[in-house]
Structures are given as C-alpha cells and as structure tokens.
C-alpha cells in the first residue's frame, strides 16, 4: 500500500462504505426505484438496486488499479464518481 499516496487511499477507501450497508440492500426491502406489478420489472429493479452497493465496491479496486498502472487521473476520476454514487446510496438508504 506504500505505492499509493494517503489521499488516494482515503478517497478510494470511502467507496467501501456501501459494502458495510449491503445487508440493508439485500434484506432491508429497499425500493429506491419504486415498485412494479410485473415480476420481470421487479427482478430488474432488484438487480439495479444491488448495483448501488456493488459498483462502488468494485470501483474501489478499479480506481487503485488504474492509479497503480500509471493512469492517475482516471483513477481519481473513477474514485470521485464512485464516491458520488456512494453518497447517493447513503441518502437513499439512511435518508
């Protein structure tokens, strides 16, 4: 981890908070995108809801990998965009 500056680890590390909140998504009955009568639409909305915590968690690893490979700017951009998704997820779950 010494190959990353502390600010990059802090920025990317904030994207791990959705992994802590994943039980709320998996078992909490959250419907941030609404509900539907159709089972197919309901299944798609469930998958979309799960992406709210999976994508930031995967972006943590992807942003550090981009930074490590020399694409520092893209790593930081991915970490910031994922942080925005993390904040939106926090408002939907705890707001």
């Amino acid at each position: 981890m010494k190959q990353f500056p502390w600010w990059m680890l802090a920025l990317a590390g904030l994207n791990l908070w959705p992994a802590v909140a994943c039980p709320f998504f998996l078992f909490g009955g959250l419907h941030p995108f609404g509900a539907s009568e159709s089972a197919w639409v309901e299944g798609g909305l469930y998958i979309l809801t799960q992406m709210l915590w999976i994508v930031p968690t995967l972006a943590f690893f992807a942003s550090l990998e981009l930074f490590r490979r020399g694409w520092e700017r893209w790593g930081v951009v991915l970490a910031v965009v994922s942080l925005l998704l993390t904040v939106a997820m926090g408002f939907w779950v705890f707001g």
Side-chain angles (χ1 to χ4, degrees):
M1 289 308 221
K2 292 186 179 194
Q3 61 188 340
F4 301 110
W6 66 269
W7 59 267
M8 183 60 187
L9 288 173
L11 181 64
L14 291 173
N15 294 324
L16 291 177
W17 280 105
V20 175
C22 75
F24 295 110
F25 285 99
L26 293 171
F27 309 113
L30 295 175
H31 299 284
F33 301 108
S36 175
E37 297 293 324
S38 170
W40 286 99
V41 173
E42 191 69 32
L45 289 175
Y46 178 78
I47 298 296
L48 191 60
T49 301
Q50 298 312 309
M51 289 297 130
L52 287 175
W53 73 270
I54 292 172
V55 169
T57 304
L58 293 177
F60 164 77
F61 298 105
S63 65
L64 289 180
E65 182 65 19
L66 286 172
F67 196 91
R68 185 184 66 82
R69 290 186 180 227
W71 295 328
E72 290 91 2
R73 180 173 291 159
W74 287 110
V76 171
V77 166
L78 180 61
V80 168
V81 169
S82 180
L83 184 61
L84 293 175
L85 184 61
T86 299
V87 169
M89 179 274 314
F91 280 124
W92 274 326
V93 173
F94 302 111

